[in-house]
Amino acid sequence: DVKVTQSSRYLVKRTGEKVFLECVQDMDHENMFWYRQDPGLGLRLIYFSYDVKMKEKGDIPEGYSVSREKKERFSLILESASTNQTSMYLCASSLSPRRGRSYNEQFFGPGTRLTVL
Amino acid sequence: RKEVEQDPGPFNVPEGATVAFNCTYSNSASQSFFWYRQDCRKEPKLLMSVYSSGNEDGRFTAQLNRASQYISLLIRDSKLSDSATYLCVVASEGNNRLAFGKGNQVVVIP
C-alpha cells in the first residue's frame, strides 16, 4: 500500500512565524503535490513537483514556497504565517504518466490542520 | 467558469434508496475522469475511474457524457457507510495536475 505521511495532524502557530509542513511518500512516486482545503472552496493546488529539485506553481502559490531535495520528501513553507493561511493542508503523490496511461491516481496524506493565531 | 462544477448538496438519502448526481467540466480537452470519496475529517481516496463506456463497481455506477461535458455517479441501495463527500476530478492528457470539484455531500439517513 502507498503511504503518504505528514509531519503533524494539528499545528497552531502565531502570525509572522515561519512554518514548515513536511510530507513523505514511500512508493517512489515522481510527482508530489500540496493542496489546501477550505469549506466552500474545495481543494486548491498550491505547488507541485514532478522531480527532485523541480517545482511548479499551482493555483494559489502566494505566501508559500516549497522544497524537494529528495524524491520521497516534499516540504511546504509558510515564510511568514498569516491568519488567512489557517486551513487543512493535504499532501499527495502520484506516478508520472506512462505509455498508454495519461494519468495515475493521486494518493493523499492524512492532512495537517493548521491554525494561525 | 470553474473548471469542475458540482452541486454541493447536501443530498439527504434514505437508507436503501438510489441517489445520483452530476458534475460538469469546462475543458473539452479533458481526458481522464474520476470520482474520489472523502469521509469527514479524512483525506480523499479514489473511488473509481470513469470510462467512456461507463463503468460499474458494485452499487456504484459512473457515466461520462463527452458531448455535454458531464460525468455522473449513481449509488444504488444506499448504506449508512456511503455518507461522505464525493469529489469529481478531471485531468487533461499527459497532465499530472488534477482539477477537483467542491464535492457532493451525501448523507444517508436511517
Side-chain angles (χ1 to χ4, degrees), chain B residues 3-17:
Chain B
E3 194 165 354
V4 180
E5 297 211 56
Q6 294 182 258
D7 176 359
F11 294 78
N12 295 314
V13 185
E15 193 175 5

Side-chain angles (χ1 to χ4, degrees), chain B residues 39-97:
Chain B
D39 293 305
C40 188
R41 300 187 183 279
K42 298 281 190 180
E43 71 272 22
K45 293 183 180 178
L46 180 66
L47 176 68
M48 59 198 306
S49 302
V50 187
Y51 305 118
S52 296
S53 56
N55 51 307
E56 188 173 311
D57 183 3
R59 297 180 292 106
F60 295 80
T61 300
Q63 298 280 352
L64 167 64
N65 185 317
R66 286 190 183 273
S68 300
Q69 294 184 206
Y70 75 83
I71 68 174
S72 64
L73 181 67
L74 182 145
I75 308 173
R76 287 183 299 278
D77 187 23
S78 298
K79 312 290 184 192
L80 296 177
S81 57
D82 294 334
S83 296
T85 296
Y86 293 86
L87 304 173
C88 174
V89 184
V90 175
S92 299
E93 180 68 29
N95 193 338
N96 293 322
R97 293 181 54 163

